[in-house]
Structure formats: structure tokens, C-alpha cells
Amino acid sequence: QLYLLHQPIVELATGDIYKAEALIRWQHPERGTIYPAEFIRIAEETNLITDIGDWVFKQAVNQVALWQTSLSADFQISINKSPKQFISKMSDWVNHLSRLGLNGQSIIVEITENLLLDVHELVVEKLLNFRDAGVQVAIDDFGTGYSSLSYLKEFDIDYLKIDQSFIANLDSNTNNSILCEAIITMAHRLGMKVIAEGVETDSQKQLLMAMGCDYGQGYFFSK
């Protein structure tokens, strides 16, 4: 009953689309569509998250292989990875990519910034393995957690995703605008790209472009 949708991540300067985020949905036979906010925490508590996460990865990899053939050889799919998956035994994503003839940059792994505070050796090991294999890493919902900025460079983070709560009331005279511009400037100085989540209006898009934001994602482009 699980399936994936793919929301485009749009390069703001050109409008090009060669990235997308895999979003899981549960099509319940009685309750209809159930969103991940309702069931992922339960999956984590029952340790089903590892099996679900591996299934999502394999589905997404099959899809990116098709899009690399038909759309762009550089197409990437972004996959959310639960902190629980980092400290549990899981299948080897890097080797699976290799077996399919795909390089590490075919996927972007999205993690929460709070995960960087976990010094569990498995977390460190897996992040470094991703880096060595060329798999890119994005910090999801940036600005809502409690990360240490030093970890952004230590683990060679590639993307910061500005949380949609900062984008929702974005205009040129709000604190949200100041915060977004500060995040974008900091990320660029550290060699990272920025993705704005939750873009819903052309006005938000134009403000983000003026700030130099690299990518946008949200209902303005596609649900």
C-alpha cells in the first residue's frame, strides 16, 4: 500500500529540473491517502523504518536510472533518511548503486540537522562512507533544529534546505527574509547550495532568486 511521489527541485536561475525528492505515501484501503507525518514515527518506534527506508531507496534508484536515460545523465533523486536508520543494520546503499551501474551522485540523502549532534560512531561512519562514494548529503528543515555549524564542513554537507516555515511569510521586510538571506550567504561561503522548501507564490520565488538561492521546491512548481 506504500508508493512514492516525486516533487521536482527546480533550479531557480534557469527553471531546469534535474533533481526531485522522493515522497512516501500510504494508500490505505479504508482511510485513503495517509501522509508520512502520521506513520513514520510509528515505523521508527516499531523498527519497521529500516525495511521501509530500504524499499524507498530501491524504488527511487530504479526511477532515477530511468530518468538518467530519458531526461538527463545528471538527474538526482533526494531520499529522506531517518536517524533510526543510521544506527540500525541496513542494506548497503552504495554497493546497490554500483551493482546497477549508477554513481553515488545519483542520489542525495536528506538528514535532519539534529542528526549531526549524534556522535554515535555508526552515524559518523555512514556519513563518511556517503562522502567517499560521492553520495551528496542535504540538511533538511535547516533552521529548526540544534546543529553545530562546524559539522557542516566536517561531513562535507552539500545542500541546506531552508525550512518552509521561513518561506511561508517571506517578504522583503520580514525577519524571515533576513534569516533566509543569511543562510544563503553562509551556505555559499561554505561551498554549499541552498534549496528553499515550501515555495508557493511567484513573489516568494522572485525574492529567493534576488537573494541568490539556488533551488526551489514547493506547490508553486508542482504538488
Side-chain angles (χ1 to χ4, degrees):
Q1 297 170 10
L2 301 178
Y3 66 98
L4 295 185
L5 298 174
H6 298 89
Q7 189 176 51
I9 298 172
V10 180
E11 187 173 51
L12 293 178
T14 64
D16 291 342
I17 299 171
Y18 47 89
K19 302 181 193 297
E21 180 181 355
L23 303 171
I24 192 170
R25 298 289 185 266
W26 177 2
Q27 189 60 39
H28 193 281
E30 297 175 1
R31 296 180 58 189
T33 302
I34 301 177
Y35 288 81
E38 295 187 62
F39 67 86
I40 289 298
R41 182 167 295 179
I42 299 169
E44 290 177 333
E45 291 172 356
T46 57
N47 290 324
L48 282 171
I49 192 63
T50 301
D51 289 338
I52 292 173
D54 286 343
W55 177 83
V56 168
F57 167 75
K58 289 173 181 175
Q59 295 295 310
V61 165
N62 289 340
Q63 184 63 65
V64 80
L66 291 174
W67 280 339
Q68 286 184 357
T69 300
S70 60
L71 298 176
S72 167
D74 298 324
F75 206 97
Q76 296 175 301
I77 286 186
S78 188
I79 305 168
N80 290 279
K81 192 170 179 62
S82 163
K84 286 271 189 177
Q85 290 173 266
F86 271 88
I87 55 175
S88 64
K89 185 177 181 181
M90 65 178 200
S91 63
D92 190 333
W93 288 12
V94 171
N95 282 339
H96 186 76
L97 284 170
S98 180
R99 285 194 295 271
L100 294 178
L102 299 171
N103 63 40
Q105 291 201 358
S106 298
I107 63 169
I108 302 169
V109 173
E110 291 194 18
I111 62 176
T112 61
E113 54 185 320
N114 290 342
L115 181 70
L116 297 183
L117 296 179
D118 189 341
V119 293
H120 195 293
E121 67 177 273
L122 281 177
V123 172
V124 175
E125 177 186 341
K126 287 171 184 175
L127 281 173
L128 294 177
N129 283 345
F130 283 146
R131 183 192 67 185
D132 293 343
V135 174
Q136 294 187 314
V137 177
I139 303 296
D140 197 13
D141 303 330
F142 187 78
T144 61
Y146 301 92
S147 67
S148 168
L149 296 179
S150 64
Y151 287 137
L152 296 178
K153 287 309 292 179
E154 182 176 342
F155 293 113
D156 286 342
I157 303 301
D158 299 282
Y159 301 93
L160 295 185
K161 299 191 76 174
I162 301 177
D163 186 69
Q164 59 187 351
S165 63
F166 293 107
I167 308 301
N169 300 307
L170 189 64
D171 66 53
S172 58
N173 297 314
T174 63
N175 287 335
N176 281 357
S177 178
I178 296 169
L179 287 169
C180 286
E181 191 163 10
I183 291 170
I184 293 166
T185 300
M186 177 194 69
H188 287 170
R189 292 289 184 91
L190 292 173
M192 293 178 281
K193 301 288 188 181
V194 179
I195 303 168
E197 298 183 287
V199 180
E200 297 188 352
T201 68
D202 185 61
S203 174
Q204 292 169 348
K205 174 192 168 186
Q206 296 302 327
L207 283 168
L208 288 163
M209 288 178 66
M211 295 175 193
C213 187
D214 304 288
Y215 299 94
Q217 179 180 353
Y219 283 8
F220 176 74
F221 304 107
S222 173
K223 292 187 178 183

